[in-house]
Amino acid sequence: MKALRRIGSKMKETAKHLSRKGIRLASDRLRSLLGTGAILLTAICASAAADGDQAISPAPAAMPETPMGFTGVGPVISGSVSYDDMPSKARKFLERHCDGHAVVRLDKEFASGCYNVRLADGIDLGFNEKGNITEIEAPEGYCLAPTLLKAVVPGKLYQLLDHNGFSESVSAVHHDRMGYRLDIADPVFDQVCYDPSGVLTMIVDK
């Protein structure tokens, strides 16, 4: 009987020892897992923060190229200039053919060197860098006077316009190396186009 008690007591001590050892092992393993989890959690948070910064931060805007030596606040496309800054050929045209109407606005397109002029009577004119007229437009609802139209287009072309009854119904003339494009105030025709020599090349109906 005593032997059985000793065996039972020994088994209890062994069980208690094993239980304490198991608890220590479990505790050590839990601490290890918690430590590893903390490291992983820190890494995940850092990665998420980096991804969030990339998602929120806007992409850097492309900086416009600035010409060397440029010190202004931005490229100037056009701006007001004085009458004396215009080529003499353009000034002579205005003084001779525009019947003394005052220039109320004068702009220069610095990229192309062209000049845009508005007269007090509402007529708009365009001149290239050499002073040659490139376009003229009457105010809305009006047409160019025949004398002014005759000064803008070649004589042969004016004769054709006059012969076809268009000399008093041209509201605008646009001239380039391809020829002349005229806007017509007519119930049937909208535009007529001529090559540089005055040959009719196209009629645009309304």
Side-chain angles (χ1 to χ4, degrees):
M1 196 68 178
K2 289 182 180 178
L4 288 173
R5 289 197 190 97
R6 282 199 297 270
I7 291 170
S9 178
K10 190 71 174 176
M11 288 178 67
K12 286 180 181 179
E13 288 179 4
T14 302
K16 189 183 290 184
H17 178 71
L18 289 173
S19 178
R20 289 192 190 121
K21 188 175 181 181
I23 290 170
R24 279 199 306 273
L25 287 171
S27 178
D28 291 343
R29 189 172 181 184
L30 181 60
R31 280 197 295 269
S32 176
L33 288 172
L34 288 173
T36 304
I39 293 171
L40 288 173
L41 183 61
T42 302
I44 290 169
C45 290
S47 176
D51 292 341
D53 290 342
Q54 290 178 355
I56 295 171
S57 300
M63 295 298 290
E65 295 184 6
T66 304
M68 292 187 64
F70 181 77
T71 57
V73 295
V76 178
I77 298 173
S78 65
S80 298
V81 292
S82 69
Y83 182 77
D84 292 335
D85 290 331
M86 291 187 70
S88 60
K89 189 173 184 179
R91 284 188 275 115
K92 288 177 181 177
F93 179 92
L94 292 170
E95 292 160 8
R96 180 177 179 182
H97 300 292
C98 293
D99 204 22
H101 291 293
V103 173
V104 296
R105 181 171 179 178
L106 172 56
D107 295 329
K108 180 179 181 181
E109 296 177 2
F110 295 109
S112 62
C114 297
Y115 296 84
N116 298 313
V117 178
R118 170 161 288 187
L119 303 181
D121 59 0
I123 291 178
D124 291 319
L125 304 99
F127 298 89
N128 63 18
E129 70 280 3
K130 296 180 180 180
N132 297 314
I133 188 165
T134 57
E135 60 182 350
I136 183 169
E137 185 173 350
E140 187 174 356
Y142 290 86
C143 293
L144 299 172
T147 53
L148 185 56
L149 177 63
K150 192 174 184 178
V152 174
V153 300
K156 181 180 178 181
L157 177 51
Y158 178 79
Q159 290 176 5
L160 288 172
L161 292 169
D162 189 41
H163 178 73
N164 289 284
F166 290 141
S167 61
E168 296 184 359
S169 57
V170 176
S171 59
V173 178
H174 309 276
H175 172 53
D176 56 26
R177 62 184 183 83
M178 300 296 293
Y180 296 85
R181 187 178 79 252
L182 288 74
D183 297 339
I184 305 296
D186 186 88
V188 178
F189 303 112
D190 187 47
Q191 286 185 344
V192 289
C193 301
Y194 298 85
D195 70 9
S197 65
V199 176
L200 180 66
T201 57
M202 183 171 62
I203 297 177
V204 180
D205 297 336
K206 288 193 180 296

